[in-house]
Amino acid sequence: MTDTPIVRLPELMKLVCLCKGSIYRGVKSGSFPAPVKLSQRAVGWRRGDVIDWIDSRQKAQQ
């Protein structure tokens, strides 16, 4: 299994410039990558999925 860099919520909010509520609304609607469960009470996002999401948003604006 390869090590996938994981982004936790505080870093994610800075990276995508969205608040916690906007991120979770996007996850619920399917417009934002879903988090992965790290433990019983912790989640994170795969950095690659987040970067792909940012790239797709930039391409859509062009």
Side-chain angles (χ1 to χ4, degrees), residues 11-30:
E11 182 183 354
L12 178 67
M13 290 189 305
K14 291 177 186 175
L15 187 63
V16 298
C17 298
L18 293 172
C19 69
K20 179 180 176 179
S22 294
I23 291 169
Y24 279 105
R25 275 191 299 277
V27 169
K28 186 175 181 179
S29 71

Side-chain angles (χ1 to χ4, degrees), residues 15-50:
L15 187 63
V16 298
C17 298
L18 293 172
C19 69
K20 179 180 176 179
S22 294
I23 291 169
Y24 279 105
R25 275 191 299 277
V27 169
K28 186 175 181 179
S29 71
S31 63
F32 194 81
V36 293
K37 194 164 188 147
L38 303 175
S39 69
Q40 186 176 2
R41 294 182 50 177
V43 297
W45 283 258
R46 290 180 187 94
R47 181 176 289 278
D49 292 347
V50 174

Side-chain angles (χ1 to χ4, degrees), residues 1-6 36-38 46:
M1 184 172 168
T2 62
D3 288 331
T4 302
I6 299 293
V36 293
K37 194 164 188 147
L38 303 175
R46 290 180 187 94

